[in-house]
Amino acid sequence: MTVSRADGRAVRISNPGKPLFENGFTKGDIVEYYRAVATAILPQLAERPVTRIRFPEGVDQGGFFEKNTPRYAPAWLRRQPLTANPGSTKPAKTVVYPFVVDVAGLEWMANQAVIEFHTPQWRIGSRGGIRNPDRLVVDLDPGEGAGLDECVAAARLVRARLGDAGLEAYPVTSGGKGLHLYARLPGRRTARAVHAWTRDLAQRLAAEHPDTLVATVGKEHRLGRVFIDWSQNHPARSTATPYTLRGKGAAPTVAAPRDWDELVPGVEQLGPEEVLARLRADDDPTSAWGSLP
């Protein structure tokens, strides 16, 4: 066991040498990654409740989603009760979500074998209320027979359509199979309105490009095509936070913000070492995102 004193707090790191990925990437490596990427990921987590995916026995053994703050969490970890399904017609359910605001919070989460951080498109206001979304997201997910190159082509179509609406799109290779596109919003529309608007955009694009795009849920519809997933704009949904690690295979990958000129045929998902090298070279595409975080 080691003890970190980030932000003046003692954070115990147990079993840092325990491999959580088949390639040998350990819990200690995860802690080190989040320490190193803190200045980039903390603005993306700011004021957003955090859903985590934990892999206590390693990625090959599967993980689980966790929304509530564990009872044993340290007193200094910020938390707040929120409606788990804001804006839904279903009965309200209270979830005590954690908020990650500093390096100590990142370290504590990593010690719980949290590999992935997921956040919604809305934030909490100064009085603890749920604000209208300040961003929208489009998840481009390739079906069987399609891949990242097809997602790049789809991303350019979505980018153009968002541009027609006065919105700038910012790409993130998801660390899985596809791409996420984000766009800043002024916060004047409700989450329900943004959800419906993005659904309509996806459906129109799919109707215009039926051979390459689909906006219908169900893997049977995606063969050789890219699914334009608009559903993550629902107020109850969350998306892999930019710069989070992903537990998708034998080696870790990252939901990595990219520049548009990188999105060329043959582009690949990035791993943690590549992302950290980019940050050391002051290559952080989110610096152009303005007030999106």
Side-chain angles (χ1 to χ4, degrees), residues 175-207:
K177 296 179 180 179
L179 275 168
H180 297 157
L181 294 182
Y182 289 91
R184 287 196 305 270
L185 296 176
R188 292 191 292 267
R189 294 187 178 187
T190 66
R192 288 289 183 172
V194 173
H195 180 254
W197 186 87
T198 314
R199 177 199 61 208
D200 293 345
L201 178 149
Q203 291 176 344
R204 288 195 301 271
L205 274 173

Side-chain angles (χ1 to χ4, degrees), residues 150-173:
E150 286 75 19
C151 289
V152 167
R156 297 193 182 281
L157 294 174
V158 176
R159 181 191 191 188
R161 191 57 53 89
L162 290 172
D164 291 342
L167 300 174
E168 179 64 39
Y170 301 97
V172 174
T173 44

Side-chain angles (χ1 to χ4, degrees), residues 9-131:
R9 301 186 176 101
V11 180
R12 298 180 184 274
I13 310 299
S14 59
N15 300 317
K18 182 177 181 178
L20 295 184
F21 287 85
E22 291 180 43
N23 76 333
F25 203 80
T26 66
K27 183 195 284 189
D29 292 328
I30 292 168
V31 173
E32 290 296 334
Y33 170 80
Y34 281 119
R35 283 176 184 157
V37 80
T39 56
I41 195 172
L42 285 173
Q44 302 297 328
L45 295 167
E47 305 304 327
R48 301 187 196 274
V50 178
T51 297
R52 293 84 65 209
I53 306 183
R54 296 173 58 186
F55 296 86
E57 301 306 320
V59 169
D60 61 337
Q61 298 299 310
F64 61 91
F65 278 87
E66 184 174 59
K67 293 178 180 288
N68 268 299
T69 307
R71 293 181 181 275
Y72 54 82
W76 51 260
L77 185 71
R78 180 183 166 192
R79 68 206 74 188
Q80 181 178 327
L82 292 170
T83 302
N85 198 4
S88 174
T89 57
K90 296 180 180 179
K93 179 182 178 182
T94 299
V95 173
V96 181
Y97 282 97
F99 291 75
V100 179
V101 302
D102 53 23
V103 174
L106 288 170
E107 291 183 340
W108 187 85
M109 291 288 183
N111 188 52
Q112 306 305 304
V114 170
I115 291 178
E116 299 192 17
F117 294 93
H118 290 236
T119 39
Q121 314 321 317
W122 45 268
R123 295 195 286 179
I124 296 299
S126 58
R127 297 183 180 181
I130 296 173
R131 291 178 169 174

